[in-house]
Amino acid sequence: MNRDDIPTIFNPRSSSRNRTPSVLVTEEGVANGKNGPSFTHSDSVGSQQDSVEPLSPATPQRTSNCTGNATIQSTGIAGKLKSCSASICSKSARKIYFGIWVTVCVTASWVGATHSIKYLYLRRSKDEDYDDPILVPHDTTDLNMTVLQTKYAVSFEAPFFTTWFVTNWTMLFFPLYFVSRLSTKRCESMSDILTESIRDFRDKGFTAVRFMTRCSLFCLLWVGTNYMYILSLNILLATDVMALFATNVSIVYLLSWVILHEQFVGIRIMAVIICDTGVALLAYMDGITGSPTLAGVVLATSAAAGSAVYKVLFKKVIGDATYGQVALFFSLIGMLNAALLWPVSLGLFLTGLETLHWDRLPWPALLSASCLSLVANLLGNFSVALTYDLFITLGLITAVPVSAALDVVLYGAQFEGMKLAGMILIAVGFFLVMFPDNWPDYITRLLRNIIMLTHSARWSRRNRHGSQGMQRRDIIDYRTGYIRSHLRSPSGRVR
């Protein structure tokens, strides 16, 4: 089964269907590499229409008596119930039900992974008997930092180690796919499944050396993207980072237009401008001088750009990929990350550039971030088999308000002024990029249907009034004729 999109997490649009890849955020992305499965708009909710089951040919015909009329009325109700039942249980309806569930799961996993990583940066008390983590605000002008640093210390500040640790969990992609394939198709052997995944790459002309070289480059891009995302969480709130990362939808469109020669859509260029305006507002929401906010915004936006580059290059280099290929590719990225990048993490620790206290390492938060990131990646890449890509993409934007609620409750964050305006603009740009290529046709069709419904309503109202008028005239004519017939004499003269 070939996939039309860029197989990275949360990437909405399929080029083969003449659609622009619209973004994806990977929970892996969240915690590790914002890359995700694609969502193609041609696969949107309304793209597939299931035909309504026709009424039974044994439907009773109209009769002239009252019983016959009652039969017709009951048949009409039964037909409507049958049609309603068919639409509720249709294939498209089931995909929508699964889509809602996937959206909720993607939102929960992405928000959970991001906030788990944010929790790693909290300062903790040096007193072992009094361990109450606190979050140092970005603006520390009103804080006594000397007292704060005396009582509290950062026991974990290792963004690269976090990136390396979370990325290692992508090695589970192919084993999980392997187990699920064996459980659903019992007639296949283990060697058949592995051979099929490898053969697909061989058929595309990849040699072993060339394929491993490509995997290494994508591994570095994946780790670099996730590193910038995780590092930005040390400066900004989780909601700010997720909102900025959502701008990768517009970057994906621009790169797809230039590199993959996707169709030019004017409204998406407008969406790019709106997203850039939102980023600018967030960059200067805390002022210009003496604030680290600008650096955090640059890091988060760079992570969004890195995710877009990853998705477009995957489409350009690998092309359409099956589920087995995607699972194998992700697992290889995890293995290369574990084998090649551990010396970098060790070197940063030994040189003191990253802070790690192994006896006080926040394992619950670190493991939670890794598991939730893996879940988001799995949903983003494989849930397209159950639902429309649109619902996977929605998990990216719906996570922003959910995260904002958590920031307000946990950290007392305030979303107002330039920050709120920037997030709203990014959300508007996000939805504009998701518009289908032929969106004017949808608008024209909608307006045409509204006009037709209006005319049909007027016509039915006019016919109803006309029939009532005819009935009144018939009654009057009947009564007039009856009276005249009784007023006439037997000779024909009026009495």
Side-chain angles (χ1 to χ4, degrees), residues 74-312:
S74 62
T75 302
I77 295 176
K80 291 180 179 180
L81 292 176
K82 191 173 183 180
S83 175
C84 181
S85 175
S87 61
I88 292 176
C89 301
S90 64
K91 182 178 179 181
S92 341
R94 290 195 301 269
K95 293 185 96 173
I96 292 175
Y97 304 150
F98 279 118
I100 296 174
W101 176 82
V102 168
T103 300
V104 173
C105 292
V106 169
T107 300
S109 58
W110 187 36
V111 171
T114 303
H115 278 267
S116 296
I117 296 174
K118 180 65 178 178
Y119 178 82
L120 296 173
Y121 291 113
L122 299 183
R123 291 178 177 268
R124 287 167 177 80
S125 173
K126 293 182 178 180
D127 186 358
E128 297 181 359
D129 299 331
Y130 184 69
D131 188 7
D132 58 334
I134 66 168
L135 179 66
V136 179
H138 306 150
D139 186 4
T140 59
T141 54
D142 298 332
L143 296 178
N144 189 332
M145 292 302 297
T146 303
V147 175
L148 187 65
Q149 293 174 359
T150 301
K151 294 182 60 178
Y152 296 90
V154 178
S155 60
F156 184 91
E157 191 170 359
F160 188 86
F161 172 79
T162 304
T163 304
W164 177 82
F165 183 84
V166 175
T167 304
N168 288 340
W169 287 61
T170 59
M171 288 188 289
L172 298 177
F173 252 74
F174 192 78
L176 292 174
Y177 167 79
F178 191 81
V179 172
S180 63
R181 186 74 177 270
L182 285 177
S183 61
T184 55
K185 297 185 178 181
R186 303 179 184 279
C187 59
E188 287 185 327
S189 63
M190 294 185 291
S191 59
D192 291 339
I193 299 175
L194 181 60
T195 302
E196 177 187 351
S197 301
I198 298 177
R199 183 177 60 249
D200 292 335
F201 285 113
R202 189 186 304 118
D203 293 342
K204 294 181 179 180
F206 285 101
T207 62
V209 176
R210 182 185 176 191
F211 179 68
M212 294 305 296
T213 302
R214 298 291 190 279
C215 288
S216 301
L217 294 176
F218 278 106
C219 177
L220 294 176
L221 182 57
W222 173 287
V223 172
T225 297
N226 287 310
Y227 175 74
M228 290 185 290
Y229 185 90
I230 293 174
L231 183 60
S232 64
L233 288 171
N234 192 24
I235 303 173
L236 302 175
L237 291 173
T239 304
D240 301 340
V241 176
M242 285 192 287
L244 289 166
F245 185 80
T247 60
N248 70 354
V249 292
S250 60
I251 304 175
V252 165
Y253 168 68
L254 288 177
L255 294 178
S256 299
W257 177 41
V258 175
I259 298 176
L260 302 180
H261 307 291
E262 295 285 351
Q263 178 181 348
F264 175 83
V265 182
I267 195 171
R268 292 181 184 155
I269 297 299
M270 182 185 301
V272 173
I273 298 174
I274 293 176
C275 287
D276 291 342
T277 304
V279 172
L281 291 177
L282 290 177
Y284 298 106
M285 61 184 174
D286 292 333
I288 301 176
T289 60
S291 175
T293 302
L294 180 60
V297 171
V298 170
L299 285 171
T301 308
S302 299
S307 174
V309 172
Y310 179 95
K311 296 170 189 177
V312 175

Side-chain angles (χ1 to χ4, degrees), residues 120 154-162 164-165 344-350 352-363 366:
L120 296 173
V154 178
S155 60
F156 184 91
E157 191 170 359
F160 188 86
F161 172 79
T162 304
W164 177 82
F165 183 84
V344 178
S345 181
L346 180 61
L348 293 174
F349 170 70
L350 294 177
L353 296 178
E354 292 194 350
T355 303
L356 283 172
H357 295 284
W358 296 101
D359 56 335
R360 303 184 64 186
L361 197 65
W363 285 110
L366 192 59

Side-chain angles (χ1 to χ4, degrees), residues 19 37 48 76 128 155 166 170 173 247 270 291 308 330 336 381 398 405 421 444 452 458:
R19 285 198 168 18
Q48 299 180 6
E128 297 181 359
S155 60
V166 175
T170 59
F173 252 74
T247 60
M270 182 185 301
S291 175
F330 270 74
L336 290 172
N381 284 278
T398 55
T444 303
M452 291 178 63
R458 290 178 179 176

Side-chain angles (χ1 to χ4, degrees), residues 440-453:
D441 296 338
Y442 286 99
I443 302 298
T444 303
R445 191 181 310 168
L446 177 62
L447 294 176
R448 186 185 302 119
N449 291 336
I450 294 175
I451 294 173
M452 291 178 63
L453 289 175

